[in-house]
Amino acid sequence: MMGVNINDKAAPFTAMILAGEKTVETRRKRTLDSVIGKRVGIVRTGKGKATMVGYATVGRSEEHTSELQS
């Protein structure tokens, strides 16, 4: 099973994902495309040692553009 790193340095994103409060994940690159529809481990990083804290199923992918992109 693949694990997805979620950085909790700025906010408790892993807890929000596991509670169903955070349902959208934004990334600069399409790194999760290979696991769409699959269950993955949620790995908390950014605070201490990387730790798998739960599981989630990756949903569909959407592409968004912004004038702020570099």
Side-chain angles (χ1 to χ4, degrees):
M1 175 179 290
M2 180 180 167
V4 176
N5 293 335
I6 307 293
N7 190 328
D8 272 10
K9 194 171 191 177
F13 295 125
T14 54
M16 292 165 61
I17 291 168
L18 296 173
E21 298 167 0
K22 183 178 188 310
T23 59
V24 175
E25 175 71 11
T26 56
R27 294 185 175 232
R28 292 187 185 268
K29 296 185 180 181
R30 300 179 64 111
T31 57
L32 300 179
D33 281 1
S34 65
V35 293
I36 291 173
K38 297 180 182 174
R39 191 164 172 85
V40 297
I42 300 296
V43 180
R44 180 179 52 225
T45 64
K47 285 194 170 186
K49 185 177 178 182
T51 305
M52 188 169 75
V53 295
Y55 302 91
T57 300
V58 178
R60 71 189 188 319
S61 177
E62 294 182 10
E63 188 168 334
H64 297 266
T65 59
S66 169
E67 292 178 9
L68 300 177
Q69 290 179 334
S70 53

